[in-house]
Amino acid sequence: MADEHEQSEAAQRATAIAEELQHLEGPLLPILHAVQHELGCVPEDAVRAIAKVLNLGRAEVHGTMTFYPDYRSEPGGARTLKLCRAEACQSMGADAVADAARAALGIDFHETTADGALTLEPVYCLGLCACGPAAMLDHEVHGRVTADSVVRIAEGVTA
């Protein structure tokens, strides 16, 4: 690995965060959260830096990142629209809602609109099972979402 002065800015910041938080019990998740909060994602350079500070393999850090759906290796949009894909919402028409959102936005899950305004993400329960299908725009939940209403939500963000 390159010397610290040759590291990318992301790797340098990730190293600093990891060194600051490594004393915590089970420090990997708090470090990943802090890095993503600061950088908007956890790029590969940051994964290497975190692994080095914690004396872990890169695969272990990467595996943790990919296990939890809120971590991302690329920057997301300014806002995030999450659509519930769990069974209760599926039974209430979540597939039609997802199809409408993807068509209106011109993107698929885990993608961001060309203008950088919105990222579309699947989630596997928003806790609104009785009000499905459910969606969440940033931290605002929406129940009984329809294909039409999810398009209005999405258009309100990208307009």
Side-chain angles (χ1 to χ4, degrees), residues 63-125:
T64 300
M65 275 190 56
T66 57
F67 178 79
Y68 293 100
D70 285 337
Y71 297 121
R72 57 177 56 256
S73 58
E74 299 290 330
R79 302 188 70 189
T80 303
L81 178 61
K82 296 181 179 184
L83 301 180
C84 184
R85 308 298 294 144
E87 291 81 4
C89 285
Q90 291 286 333
S91 70
M92 297 301 292
D95 285 340
V97 170
D99 290 346
R102 290 191 297 246
L105 295 168
I107 59 173
D108 204 346
F109 286 120
H110 308 291
E111 294 181 353
T112 301
T113 56
D115 63 2
L118 187 67
T119 297
L120 184 62
E121 296 288 346
V123 293
Y124 293 92
C125 192

Side-chain angles (χ1 to χ4, degrees), residues 31-51:
I31 290 168
L32 289 171
H33 279 295
V35 169
Q36 181 159 296
H37 178 75
E38 183 157 323
L39 302 178
C41 64
V42 184
E44 181 58 34
D45 286 356
V47 169
R48 283 194 298 272
I50 293 166

Side-chain angles (χ1 to χ4, degrees), residues 119-155:
T119 297
L120 184 62
E121 296 288 346
V123 293
Y124 293 92
C125 192
L126 291 170
L128 290 176
C129 302
C131 299
M136 183 166 65
L137 179 60
D138 298 328
H139 299 287
E140 180 183 339
V141 293
H142 299 265
R144 295 187 178 92
V145 178
T146 65
D148 290 338
S149 67
V150 79
V151 168
R152 283 193 302 275
I153 291 167
E155 287 175 345

